[in-house]
Amino acid sequence: MSNTRVWFVALAAALLSCAPLTASAAEPTPPVGDPVRDGAAGAPGAGSATAPAVKKPRKCGPGKSPWTCLAECESSGRWDANTGNGFYGGLQFYQPTWKDHGGLKYAPRADLATPEEQVRVAEKVLVSQGPKAWPVCSKGIRFDRRIHRVVPGDTLSGIARRYHVKGGWQALYEANRKVVGPSPDRISVGMLIVVPDLDAKGRMI
């Protein structure tokens, strides 16, 4: 084989060995996409540990104010909740809603108001919007339950007489033991007392 032919074969082999690198570099880069938007496996929002929890309504048991039950679902019972999601307080008020229903009378935002003040505003929201203001967490909660807000001079016996509670102050205390605490003769102004109703079998509901 002549030197010229040997040189040509070597050159051809060198060019072939470089071809895959040249072709690969010329291929377009595939799009990355948005793994959160597209629901890629393991991405936040696609079932990973960092995905936001979905609210689930909880049954509101005897002796609990419906607002307490609502707060347990909306904010895990944290009346000072401010997680940066644009909603505030135990009942997760949207700021314009808080403002439009007189909330600024109590505090600049719901999370800065007391639970009692938040409930007062929520009662106005319930009148204007109904339970749909809390579309998930209001399910299963009876907002027609009788609720008494304690005022100066109130006693459990006096409240029981006013609402004709069967079983007197003792029944009223049993229905509100967790709220009132160990001393039935010590109730605080602003405290929300659930006035128990009776079911068809005479049990408190």
Side-chain angles (χ1 to χ4, degrees):
M1 181 181 294
S2 66
N3 290 338
T4 301
R5 186 169 182 178
V6 171
W7 177 85
F8 178 79
V9 171
L11 177 62
L15 290 174
L16 287 174
S17 66
C18 294
L21 295 176
T22 305
S24 177
E27 291 177 358
T29 304
V32 175
D34 185 342
V36 176
R37 181 198 62 205
D38 298 337
S48 73
T50 55
V54 178
K55 294 176 182 176
K56 294 183 179 179
R58 304 177 184 180
K59 185 177 180 180
C60 193
K64 281 189 176 182
S65 159
W67 300 111
T68 297
C69 297
L70 186 62
E72 288 176 353
C73 177
E74 287 286 344
S75 64
S76 298
R78 288 183 51 217
W79 293 92
D80 61 348
N82 178 3
T83 61
N85 64 352
F87 297 86
Y88 305 95
L91 305 176
Q92 292 291 276
F93 282 95
Y94 181 47
Q95 184 63 17
T97 303
W98 178 254
K99 179 181 178 181
D100 293 344
H101 291 80
L104 296 182
K105 172 184 177 182
Y106 305 111
R109 295 192 315 267
D111 60 302
L112 303 175
T114 67
E116 292 78 13
E117 291 166 345
Q118 293 182 46
V119 168
R120 289 173 193 166
V121 177
E123 288 171 342
K124 296 179 181 179
V125 176
L126 185 63
V127 170
S128 65
Q129 299 183 17
K132 67 180 181 180
W134 303 273
V136 175
C137 289
S138 64
K139 293 178 180 178
I141 296 179
R142 288 182 52 200
F143 285 98
D144 60 341
R145 296 172 76 178
R146 293 182 295 172
I147 305 295
H148 176 82
R149 181 179 287 109
V150 175
V151 298
D154 269 346
T155 62
L156 287 182
S157 58
I159 297 171
R161 284 195 302 271
R162 184 183 311 172
Y163 291 97
H164 307 286
V165 175
K166 187 175 181 179
W169 71 265
Q170 294 92 339
L172 188 61
Y173 175 58
E174 281 302 315
N176 294 275
R177 182 184 291 270
K178 291 184 179 180
V179 175
V180 175
S183 301
D185 58 337
R186 295 182 180 178
I187 56 177
S188 304
V189 173
M191 184 179 289
L192 298 176
I193 300 294
V194 176
V195 181
D197 294 319
L198 301 177
D199 64 13
K201 296 182 179 180
R203 296 173 301 191
M204 285 191 298
I205 56 176

